[in-house]
Amino acid sequence: SAQAPGNGVGAEPMVGHDGLLSFTGTVLSGLGTTLNGISTLYTLSHGHLTTDVAALVSSTAVGAWVAAKAGVAMLIDHGMATMGFGGGCISISIGLVHFLRSLAKIDGNTPPRHAPDMLEDAEEVKNFPTPQWLNRRVLNWAVVGRVGAGKSSLINALRGLSPQDAEAAAVGVGHTTKRPKPYSFTGDLASLAKNMARLWDLPGAGTRDWPSESYVRDAGLRHFDGVLLVVAGAFSDAEEVLLKQLEDFKVPCYVVRNKVDQDTENNKQDNGLCPEETLAEIRSELMQYGCNRDRIFLVSAKHPQLSDFDFQNLLYTMADDVSMQRNDLPEFAEDGSCSNQEQIFQDAQSEPFGLGDMPIPHFGGA
């Protein structure tokens, strides 16, 4: 029989729970990061928190409760989460976790509300048919833009991949999209969304094969759940026309101004302007072209973790839009509202974070 520890020379320590002890040590060593990060998580998730709720979610008890859940480890820093799934870990943005979890709640049998409906207008369906290559039983986002705008980098960032990953979209000078190409989420991220999401790299408008005049029809944009219009540099006339068409058809559109990390750094070196001033200039310029302020997202696709930019907000907005377009999220179905505190504990008790079978810790006195 095994000898109990502490019984003199030659005693052997118990080793049956080495894995659990190692996991617990890792969690505790990063507890400070976790405590601060949980507050960041819900600040990103809800835009703002009352002081008492923010204090609650950053308390030691809640932090330990979330971090110590068996099988799942999560350390949060600057909007990025390192999450353990089984035996491995991945680093993804908090916004991406929220986005994927939201998709898993949506009924893919319901088409987007803005898509042409045979029962309402058969002529519209004839004029704007669903592309044969597009499956509307999953959720689809079109990613469009000129060569060099950073579409592929954005697709990779949205999927939580780096350019070196095996299933990443090809990036680099001279990479031109000639036909629609879908990209799915992979591995654990695909499981979070129940493999319901596709990001489509579409050819840009204004070419011989994809003329601007019929681009919305040819690319089937009215049947997508949303369109990410990726721009870098000046907004073109063709992009302005496309934006107006999408607005007329009520297709959710996201003007994603990429590479703002380069712009802020260059403007700082050349003109001594701080990043906030540069971002305000870029946003103002886009608004002059008719872009809605709430639909402008200033990002760095190569550095999605930078909290100064709008990458997290983009993911949250996409999740909100598709929930409205396909069906309402279950927690909002009854009265259309939910308090921050209620949403915090709904999120905490639901999958895929794996906390649903763990009781919420008691706070205060007996």
Side-chain angles (χ1 to χ4, degrees), residues 150-298:
K151 291 191 302 175
S152 297
S153 295
L154 180 65
I155 289 172
N156 290 336
L158 290 169
R159 297 165 68 218
L161 299 178
S162 69
Q164 292 76 31
D165 291 326
E167 298 188 43
V171 299
V173 177
H175 175 66
T176 303
T177 305
K178 296 183 178 180
R179 59 181 62 88
K181 183 173 183 179
Y183 291 92
S184 302
F185 291 87
T186 61
D188 291 310
L189 298 188
S191 299
L192 293 186
K194 297 183 179 178
N195 201 28
M196 279 288 292
R198 304 288 184 272
L199 298 170
W200 287 82
D201 186 358
L202 298 185
T207 65
R208 183 182 62 182
D209 295 330
W210 299 86
S212 298
E213 296 77 14
S214 58
Y215 187 73
V216 171
R217 169 192 165 93
D218 296 341
L221 296 185
R222 294 188 64 183
H223 299 277
F224 280 85
D225 291 278
V227 176
L228 287 82
L229 178 55
V230 187
V231 297
F235 205 66
S236 71
D237 293 339
E239 289 163 341
E240 185 177 3
V241 170
L242 177 58
L243 177 63
K244 181 63 168 61
Q245 291 176 325
L246 293 173
E247 290 177 345
D248 290 343
F249 290 126
K250 302 186 185 314
V251 180
C253 185
Y254 315 89
V255 179
V256 183
R257 175 57 163 81
N258 194 17
K259 304 184 181 182
V260 295
D261 57 324
Q262 299 175 20
D263 295 317
T264 54
E265 183 61 29
N266 291 339
N267 218 6
K268 179 180 179 180
Q269 294 180 1
D270 297 341
N271 302 307
L273 296 182
C274 67
E276 291 78 9
E277 292 173 305
T278 299
L279 296 177
E281 284 186 358
I282 296 173
R283 200 179 302 274
S284 177
E285 179 180 341
L286 290 171
M287 291 173 64
Q288 292 176 16
Y289 282 94
C291 301
N292 186 321
R293 181 181 183 87
D294 294 334
R295 313 298 294 185
I296 297 172
F297 302 90
L298 311 182

Side-chain angles (χ1 to χ4, degrees), residues 292-312:
N292 186 321
R293 181 181 183 87
D294 294 334
R295 313 298 294 185
I296 297 172
F297 302 90
L298 311 182
V299 308
S300 169
K302 287 191 174 183
H303 305 285
Q305 77 281 2
L306 296 178
S307 58
D308 291 339
F309 306 142
D310 298 332
F311 187 77
Q312 308 295 328

Side-chain angles (χ1 to χ4, degrees), residues 2-14:
Q3 187 175 6
N7 289 343
V9 178
E12 297 180 359
M14 296 178 66

